Amino acid sequence: MFRLKQKHTRKPADKLPPADGHRLLAQQSIARGVAGSTAVALMLCWMWALFSINTGKVFPWFTVPIGALIGVAVQRFGRGLDWRFPIVALVVTGIAAYAGNLMIGILKTGQYLGANPVQILSGLSGDSMRVFFRDTISPIDHIYAFSACGVAAFFANRRLKRHEVVGLRAVERDKR
């Protein structure tokens, strides 16, 4: 009787038809997800290393925003709907968390020795990597890397609109 007009709901005539579920499934690409997230990871790790060198401080929490952006990259480039895409984001983020620390270590060592990063990279061995992980990487780095992996996996899957979910469910129903 005293019902107010709803301003934020759609009119029944404005409902969208279900999306094509087959097209949504065809848009998924692990290769694009890996390539895009790897490019984003390299760029962000390089920015983190340069920022750390310029400020003289290492911020281990920087891995968490890097993880979020890698997850978004997997979401945008891979357009994934299943479990494989969070795994891709998790693996790329885990590698990026330690690669960023390694880049910082390489640049710091280069400054200390007066060498360029390529010379430092060519001198890396299994023993120097063992020393790096034993002496440079701290437990807090592991905690932030683990957190970044979780954040990346959270953001990795594609977010669907209501009509896309309806179209995807129709495809799943037809498979049965």
Side-chain angles (χ1 to χ4, degrees):
M1 179 169 136
F2 294 107
R3 185 171 177 194
L4 296 174
K5 181 181 177 189
Q6 294 180 349
K7 295 181 181 180
H8 300 290
T9 59
R10 291 185 178 198
K11 299 174 196 160
D14 290 348
K15 281 190 175 179
L16 294 172
D20 183 15
H22 295 290
R23 188 177 58 92
L24 290 173
L25 292 173
Q27 288 175 345
Q28 298 184 104
S29 173
I30 290 283
R32 282 194 316 252
V34 169
S37 62
T38 302
V40 168
L42 288 173
M43 181 190 64
L44 291 173
C45 287
W46 183 250
M47 288 173 44
W48 179 27
L50 291 179
F51 182 75
S52 294
I53 293 299
N54 289 335
T55 60
K57 296 181 180 184
V58 177
F59 299 102
W61 56 265
F62 211 71
T63 56
V64 176
I66 287 174
L69 292 173
I70 289 172
V72 169
V74 170
Q75 181 188 112
R76 297 284 187 241
F77 291 110
R79 301 184 63 81
L81 301 169
D82 59 4
W83 60 270
R84 299 174 296 170
F85 295 91
I87 299 295
V88 166
L90 187 138
V91 169
V92 171
T93 301
I95 293 170
Y98 296 110
N101 281 318
L102 184 62
M103 282 185 193
I104 294 168
I106 287 171
L107 291 178
K108 277 283 200 197
T109 304
Q111 277 184 339
Y112 180 73
L113 296 176
N116 64 15
V118 175
Q119 291 172 326
I120 303 296
L121 274 172
S122 66
L124 286 179
S125 66
D127 188 48
S128 61
M129 291 302 292
R130 202 172 317 116
V131 169
F132 171 75
F133 276 98
R134 185 185 67 220
D135 296 341
T136 305
I137 301 294
S138 68
I140 197 74
D141 291 317
H142 295 302
I143 291 169
Y144 279 118
F146 183 75
S147 301
C149 288
V151 169
F154 175 78
F155 284 115
N157 271 344
R158 183 175 171 187
R159 306 300 188 249
L160 296 176
K161 297 180 178 126
R162 186 177 306 250
H163 72 284
E164 292 172 331
V165 171
V166 171
L168 198 58
R169 285 186 183 160
V171 167
E172 290 172 0
R173 187 177 51 240
D174 292 340
K175 284 183 182 178
R176 293 183 213 162

